[in-house]
Amino acid sequence: MIIKPMIRSNICINAHPVGCARETERQIAYVKAQKVKRGTKSAKEGGKGPKTVVVLGCSTGYGLASRISAAFEYGADTIGVSFEKEPTEKKGGTPGWYNNAAFDRAAKEAGLKSVTLNADAFSDETRDLVISELKKFDSKVDLIVYSLASPVRTDPKTKVLYRSVIKPEGQPYSGKTMDMMTGKLMESTAEPAAAEEVENTVKVMGGEDWVLWIDALLKAGILAEGCRTVAYSYIGPELSHAIYRNGTIGAAKKDLESTALRLNDRLTAAVGGAAYISENKGLVTRSSAVIPIISLYLSILFKVMKEKGTHEGCIEQMERLFAERLFTGPEGAAGEVPVDIEHRIRIDDREMDPAVQSEVTERMASVTDDNFAELGDLAGYKHDFLAINGFDVEGVDYTKELERMDSIN
């Protein structure tokens, strides 16, 4: 089988097993190089960084990058949870399944304990399973990363299924969007969400499930003294607020942020720990490509930041979050965390730099089909979009026949 990307309406619906594995290995190599550059000591080398880490939503994006940073810079044993479509010999699985397989293989080669559960992270049964696995570890949990990004969630108590939507609130939103395969610009409109849709999106992507996880882990008595938890959010530029920050997703993120304050108090009292929101940089995801204005904004942002030498992908962001925000003490210990006035970690600082935003805003106002190649980074955006699914990855021969779809070799 020769696997080529299948793209429908700016969404890639298949994945390349070998490409996904190589992209995961590229991220691991970056973290290993940063470990040497920073002089970070792993747990086995006497370092005081995290030793046992739980990553909820571990298979792609920021969750995968967080797990890689914890394991391959700090030497942490990890438990990861994600819900993936498993491949068969002839049918492909989701990118996350292949990413997880590549991570587990590399962790085993490095002598690190790695437990990956293909399960619904929103269910109580999965919480019980994670706790059961954690009790087999040699140490208690130092860090819980909450990086779930699912379109649906079933309430574990009522068994009601909720669906999230990406819509503005109050009135329709129109903006330019970009066909990533051609670079052609077009207008896209999103209709406003009904009140029930806002509530459902908060139910799926807000802080309720995060609380259930922390409560369950606390009750099980497996959190280490000083244990921290972090969840991920996004603020972005003013021009995107109507569809994002002030829309349905923004409502869920604001709920997540308020949840962090409550969890911070709870963890401080229980184990001397803390809870944080990390506001991250805007990056290409499997969903961002279909949100009005976001794909165009990101393409122009990438061009500007690359020109300034400040561009970062998921792995660069998460490695910096760990090394320069969460674990800043001696020998990688959990030092003081710099936060803004709302107790948020701002690892989006390079994106939101006034000079960057000023240049992006100017380009957004003047971009057309004729000058987009000059003002934006179509090639970079397209690469990131394809690489998420294992395509356009350096070192992979895409003309080579694959014998099986359930192997990453």
Side-chain angles (χ1 to χ4, degrees), residues 101-378:
F103 176 91
D104 285 338
R105 182 171 66 184
K108 182 178 180 180
E109 290 172 353
L112 299 172
K113 187 176 294 185
S114 172
V115 176
T116 302
L117 302 175
N118 188 9
D120 178 7
F122 294 129
S123 75
D124 288 337
E125 290 78 12
T126 299
R127 276 183 270 276
D128 291 341
L129 183 57
V130 168
I131 289 168
S132 177
E133 291 294 332
L134 283 169
K135 289 181 177 179
K136 302 174 186 177
F137 280 40
D138 296 328
S139 64
K140 293 186 176 182
V141 178
D142 308 288
L143 177 69
I144 305 108
V145 174
Y146 190 86
S147 185
L148 295 178
S150 170
V152 297
R153 172 178 174 243
T154 298
D155 186 299
K157 293 183 175 58
T158 67
K159 306 305 179 183
V160 174
L161 176 70
Y162 295 89
R163 296 184 182 276
S164 65
V165 297
I166 303 174
K167 290 184 177 182
E169 289 193 59
Q171 58 187 9
Y173 175 79
S174 295
K176 291 180 181 178
T177 191
M178 173 190 76
D179 184 319
M180 72 191 61
M181 302 309 294
T182 66
K184 183 178 180 180
L185 305 184
M186 62 198 82
E187 284 289 321
S188 179
T189 299
E191 294 300 318
E196 184 179 13
E197 290 179 307
V198 178
E199 294 170 2
N200 289 351
T201 302
V202 172
K203 190 79 173 178
V204 175
M205 301 183 69
E208 183 177 88
D209 182 68
W210 191 16
V211 171
L212 292 176
W213 270 102
I214 299 304
D215 282 350
L217 295 173
L218 275 171
K219 184 178 180 181
I222 52 179
L223 298 188
E225 188 68 23
C227 178
R228 292 172 168 178
T229 184
V230 61
Y232 299 139
S233 186
Y234 181 65
I235 295 176
E238 184 70 32
L239 60 87
S240 71
H241 283 189
I243 187 65
Y244 195 93
R245 189 67 184 178
N246 297 329
T248 54
I249 299 298
K253 293 300 186 182
K254 290 170 186 175
D255 182 79
L256 195 69
E257 290 165 13
S258 64
T259 298
L261 298 177
R262 298 194 302 274
L263 286 178
N264 189 66
D265 291 340
R266 191 171 306 175
L267 284 170
T268 299
V271 293
Y276 299 99
I277 289 290
S278 177
E279 301 290 356
N280 298 341
K281 173 180 178 286
L283 292 171
V284 181
T285 67
R286 301 183 80 191
S287 61
S288 66
V290 299
I291 307 175
I293 215 169
I294 295 297
S295 59
L296 178 59
Y297 164 75
L298 289 177
S299 179
I300 291 177
L301 174 72
F302 290 2
K303 184 71 171 276
V304 172
M305 294 187 73
K306 287 176 182 179
E307 290 172 355
K308 294 181 179 295
T310 58
H311 180 68
E312 295 174 306
C314 282
I315 194 62
E316 292 85 4
Q317 277 263 291
M318 293 300 96
E319 192 279 333
R320 187 160 68 93
L321 171 67
F322 275 56
E324 299 182 11
R325 299 294 191 272
L326 292 173
F327 301 102
T328 58
E331 306 295 347
E336 183 176 352
V337 178
V339 294
D340 66 12
I341 59 173
E342 297 184 50
H343 191 68
R344 303 175 301 192
I345 298 171
R346 299 304 298 269
I347 207 72
D348 64 346
D349 50 344
R350 296 176 181 175
E351 174 185 357
M352 302 311 295
D353 173 44
V356 169
Q357 285 300 310
S358 176
E359 180 64 24
V360 171
T361 300
E362 183 177 326
R363 295 189 189 192
M364 288 288 292
S366 59
V367 68
T368 65
D369 283 327
D370 294 332
N371 64 15
F372 175 64
E374 176 186 351
L375 300 182
D377 181 20
L378 176 61

